[in-house]
Amino acid sequence: VLIVIDDDGIGRNRSHELKTENQRKNSSTGIMNISKRVDIINDMFGTGIKVDIFDKENSSGTRVSIRFDQKME
């Protein structure tokens, strides 16, 4: 199963450019938290969930793909 979320916002690169100096000092943990949770689920249930985040080329926005592959045991 593949789920694709296509966001047409300003994108991660432009968002980073617009941050103030104070905002740049703070480190966001959202993507890291998602990655850790996916790893835990994969370990606990033997699944092959994979999350990829891409900055869209030639346009603004971000694309997130979530793939659910069942591991064969």
Side-chain angles (χ1 to χ4, degrees), residues 6-46:
D6 209 13
D7 173 52
D8 63 355
I10 62 172
R12 295 183 303 166
N13 291 331
R14 183 70 177 135
S15 175
H16 180 73
E17 292 171 2
L18 294 174
K19 286 185 176 183
T20 65
E21 191 62 35
N22 189 43
Q23 288 172 321
R24 289 182 185 165
K25 290 179 184 177
N26 295 323
S27 178
S28 176
T29 60
I31 293 173
M32 182 176 57
N33 289 341
I34 290 170
S35 178
K36 287 180 181 179
R37 288 178 183 151
V38 168
D39 289 343
I40 290 169
I41 291 169
N42 285 335
D43 289 342
M44 287 180 65
F45 299 105

